[in-house]
């Protein structure tokens, strides 16, 4: 049987939080708060009349910033692509 995806990476936010010593419960709480904060900010910006294109480009800027920050954090924490649990076994 052919396996399409042999390994996962360890460069997701929950992996980074775990590598810094956060428990599973703390990781879930942090992710929920981040989600709540970003959702509230988006609703507030929309209600304030911020144009959709500005929200879109703001999202792209945040996504780019997170990609760069995640790469730096993963290098500092020693997390690397292909080090996920799918490689075990």
């Amino acid at each position: 049987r052919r396996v399409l995806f042999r390994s996962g990476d360890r460069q997701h936010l929950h992996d980074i939080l775990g590598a810094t010593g956060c428990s599973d419960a703390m990781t879930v709480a942090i992710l929920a708060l981040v989600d709540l904060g970003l959702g509230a900010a988006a609703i507030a910006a929309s209600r304030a009349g911020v144009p959709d294109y500005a929200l879109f480009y703001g999202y792209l800027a945040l996504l780019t910033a997170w990609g760069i920050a995640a790469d730096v954090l993963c290098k500092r924490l020693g997390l690397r692509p292909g080090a996920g649990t799918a490689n075990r076994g």
Side-chain angles (χ1 to χ4, degrees):
R1 184 169 120 165
R2 191 173 130 194
V3 178
L4 294 177
F5 302 104
R6 294 192 183 269
S7 66
D9 64 33
R10 301 274 302 173
Q11 296 182 327
H12 296 101
L13 182 54
H14 60 92
D15 295 317
I16 294 170
L17 291 172
T20 61
C22 290
S23 67
D24 289 346
M26 187 181 291
T27 298
V28 169
I30 290 169
L31 292 175
L33 288 173
V34 168
D35 188 40
L36 183 66
L38 290 173
I43 290 170
S46 181
R47 288 188 176 176
V50 177
D52 287 344
Y53 72 87
L55 294 175
F56 175 74
Y57 288 118
Y59 168 77
L60 288 181
L62 284 174
L63 187 63
T64 302
W66 168 247
I68 293 167
D71 190 52
V72 170
L73 285 170
C74 287
K75 286 178 183 175
R76 288 188 181 173
L77 293 171
L79 301 175
R80 65 189 190 290
T85 57
N87 273 346
R88 298 179 191 160

